[in-house]
Amino acid sequence: MRYSSVTGVGRSIVLIGGMGAGKSTVGRCLHRRTGLALHDTDEIVANFGRSIPEIFAEHGEKKFREAETEALRYIPTEEQRIIITGGGIVLRKENVEILKSQAVIVWLDADEETLFTRASRKSNRPLLHTKNPRKTFSQILGARRPLYANIADIRVDTSVLTDEEVAVAILAKLRKMNPKPESPIRAKAS
């Protein structure tokens, strides 16, 4: 895992991780605590006119990954913001390059059983619509974990933390990376 210093205004916070890691809820907590604009690549893709399950059903995963890249390009880069990504964002080299160029990458992780339990609560996960969702989940996670580890600046285990505790842990780690008082990463009083 690479740990670089967070410098300069404009470095966004990107949340990556597997299904069930808590990216969406933690992203909203970070938004409330920092006041930074919030962008969710899955929501942007859905705003292109079709839901994610519809894109998968009608056009396949490849088309969804292309739309995901378009969503990343759509997000303004002039100001610092929080970006929530889908679990497969790391599968395309272009996405990784975009994220690395503009953001501190925070990997939300948890033990596999916790992730699967959380991910199974939602029925809108097309990759889990298989004969054996548990096995599929394990294969997907096994393939993606090394990719997350390779690009993450920060890793937070969400297994036993609340979403608010994860947000606090992220902000604390970001402050340690850039302890300067003028750091653009500041928590609002809550």
Side-chain angles (χ1 to χ4, degrees), residues 67-84:
E68 198 172 46
T69 301
E70 272 310 302
L72 271 183
R73 288 191 196 119
Y74 172 83
I75 298 170
T77 59
E78 301 81 42
E79 295 179 8
Q80 188 181 34
R81 55 199 69 248
I82 297 161
I83 303 168
I84 301 165

Side-chain angles (χ1 to χ4, degrees), residues 103-147:
V104 177
I105 301 173
V106 179
W107 171 23
L108 301 185
D109 195 19
D111 64 83
E112 186 173 324
E113 193 56 42
T114 298
L115 291 172
F116 179 72
T117 299
R118 291 176 185 166
S120 299
R121 291 181 194 146
K122 292 186 177 180
S123 62
N124 67 339
R125 302 200 186 263
L127 292 176
L128 297 183
H129 293 171
T130 65
K131 287 183 181 179
N132 187 342
R134 181 69 180 90
K135 181 179 178 184
T136 302
F137 182 87
S138 186
Q139 291 170 338
I140 290 169
L141 186 63
R144 291 178 182 176
R145 267 193 167 143
L147 301 175

Side-chain angles (χ1 to χ4, degrees), residues 26-37:
V26 170
R28 288 189 295 273
C29 292
L30 285 169
H31 167 69
R32 282 192 304 272
R33 288 181 167 277
T34 64
L36 296 175

Side-chain angles (χ1 to χ4, degrees), residues 20-46:
K23 298 178 299 287
S24 295
T25 53
V26 170
R28 288 189 295 273
C29 292
L30 285 169
H31 167 69
R32 282 192 304 272
R33 288 181 167 277
T34 64
L36 296 175
L38 179 67
H39 297 274
D40 185 322
T41 58
D42 284 350
E43 288 178 10
I44 295 168
V45 168

Side-chain angles (χ1 to χ4, degrees), residues 14 20 26 39 51 53 61 74 87 97 101 121 156 158 163 171 178 185:
V14 169
V26 170
H39 297 274
S51 71
E61 184 177 0
Y74 172 83
E97 289 170 359
S101 72
R121 291 181 194 146
V156 177
T158 68
D163 299 328
L171 292 172
N178 187 12
I185 312 260

